[in-house]
Amino acid sequence: LASHLHPRGRLKRAQRCAPAAQFICAKDNMRDYDDAVAFLGEWGPFQRMIFFLLSLSTIPNGFTGVAIVFVGDTPDHKCVIPVGVNISGEWRNVSIPWENVDGERKYSQCRRYKLDEIKRLSDRQLIPGVDVNITDLEQEKCVDGWEYRRDTYKSTIVTEWDMVCDDSWKGPLTSSAYFGGVLFGSFLSGQLSDRFGRKKAFFSTMAIQTLFNFIEVFSPSWELFCVFHFFNGMGQISNYVSAYVLGSEILSKSIRIIYSTLGV
């Protein structure tokens, strides 16, 4: 066993390999490793524990990856007409213009009729659609904010920071921040695992993922949420890769194939 696992033994075998035969030597070294640890058994209590615990550890990674689909969803919305504005109920009901969206008639989500003009017409007691053609009225942006439907989501990052209309680009950028962390973590996790060991990298990245998942909830601004989401993505992929490599190295040959095929 010592002759197979000792670093000098591996170095001597590697030195005897010509550059063109490195692939064959790598297969020989893996075969030597499998032979050296064969006494541990194929599917004993230790292997079962490692298999199932590492498999369980990757489940939160999937949830983290798809969470933004729900956390960043954009519910139906329209401009707010402040309650304190003194206009009649008739004018309040027609203060949002209609639009055709994919063949469906909906309230505009980013425009309203100019509120000062509506108030002036309401004060004159004119009737919308009778005395005034409302489609001819001037429109303006949602300067008082938006009103969101709450029947599906009580709150998302979109409703929290009004990431709609002129700020709708923030939603895709939030996802990009996460996958930027995934990209960075893909390079970082291998370096950390080789330098400090698989287990240390595995547990430290699990802690990073758990921590930033938690503090995302208390983000006071969209900018900080993106920063936390970046580190969340970095911890997610680093934890996944560390678990995958750790299981591939510890488990026996036949179980390793199942473990890798499942993509755990």
Side-chain angles (χ1 to χ4, degrees):
L1 179 61
S3 64
H4 288 298
L5 301 182
H6 196 279
R8 291 183 180 179
R10 291 197 299 269
L11 179 60
K12 289 179 181 179
R13 288 194 297 275
Q15 289 174 342
R16 291 198 300 267
C17 291
Q22 289 295 325
F23 177 73
I24 298 176
C25 290
K27 291 181 66 177
D28 291 340
N29 290 337
M30 181 57 73
R31 189 179 302 112
D32 292 342
Y33 174 80
D34 289 333
D35 293 339
V37 297
F39 70 93
L40 294 175
E42 286 282 322
W43 189 237
F46 175 74
Q47 285 87 351
R48 288 195 291 268
M49 179 183 68
I50 292 297
F51 183 94
F52 288 113
L53 288 180
L54 289 179
S55 298
L56 287 174
S57 73
T58 61
I59 293 177
N61 295 333
F63 291 144
T64 303
V66 301
I68 194 63
V69 174
F70 307 99
V71 175
D73 190 40
T74 304
D76 289 336
H77 53 278
K78 62 182 180 179
C79 295
V80 166
I81 306 299
V83 177
V85 176
N86 187 21
I87 58 177
S88 66
E90 292 177 318
W91 280 104
R92 186 176 292 274
N93 291 336
V94 299
S95 57
I96 307 296
W98 290 89
E99 293 180 347
N100 287 321
V101 180
D102 298 328
E104 186 178 353
R105 198 162 180 259
K106 293 183 176 181
Y107 280 119
S108 174
Q109 296 187 330
C110 300
R111 309 286 295 180
R112 72 181 184 185
Y113 293 117
K114 198 167 185 179
L115 203 56
D116 292 341
E117 181 69 10
I118 288 180
K119 187 177 185 306
R120 184 180 65 81
L121 295 173
S122 178
D123 291 341
R124 293 173 57 186
Q125 297 184 348
L126 299 177
I127 301 174
V130 177
D131 300 320
V132 179
N133 186 0
I134 57 175
T135 58
D136 294 336
L137 297 179
E138 186 179 355
Q139 298 181 11
E140 63 182 356
K141 295 181 178 180
C142 301
V143 295
D144 294 306
W146 288 264
E147 177 184 340
Y148 299 93
R149 289 189 61 176
R150 307 285 181 174
D151 52 346
T152 303
Y153 300 104
K154 182 176 291 186
S155 176
T156 69
I157 61 173
V158 174
T159 63
E160 187 75 17
W161 296 302
D162 289 332
M163 293 163 46
V164 294
C165 299
D166 291 343
D167 288 334
S168 60
W169 56 271
K170 292 182 178 180
L173 187 58
T174 305
S175 297
S176 297
Y178 176 82
F179 286 104
V182 170
L183 178 63
F184 182 75
S186 299
F187 293 106
L188 182 65
S189 59
Q191 302 298 322
L192 292 176
S193 296
D194 291 340
R195 184 173 181 84
F196 300 106
R198 312 292 188 219
K199 287 192 294 184
K200 290 182 179 179
F202 173 72
F203 286 111
S204 61
T205 54
M206 181 183 290
I208 290 173
Q209 182 184 7
T210 303
L211 174 65
F212 284 99
N213 254 320
F214 180 73
I215 62 177
E216 272 183 8
V217 179
F218 304 100
S219 301
S221 66
W222 170 76
E223 291 79 7
L224 273 179
F225 182 88
C226 287
V227 172
F228 298 151
H229 211 43
F230 174 89
F231 286 103
N232 193 358
M234 185 187 71
Q236 183 266 349
I237 193 64
S238 300
N239 180 252
Y240 175 84
V241 171
S242 298
Y244 184 88
V245 175
L246 184 62
S248 299
E249 292 179 343
I250 292 179
L251 297 172
S252 57
K253 183 177 180 180
S254 60
I255 305 304
R256 187 187 308 137
I257 295 174
I258 300 174
Y259 183 82
S260 302
T261 304
L262 291 175
V264 175

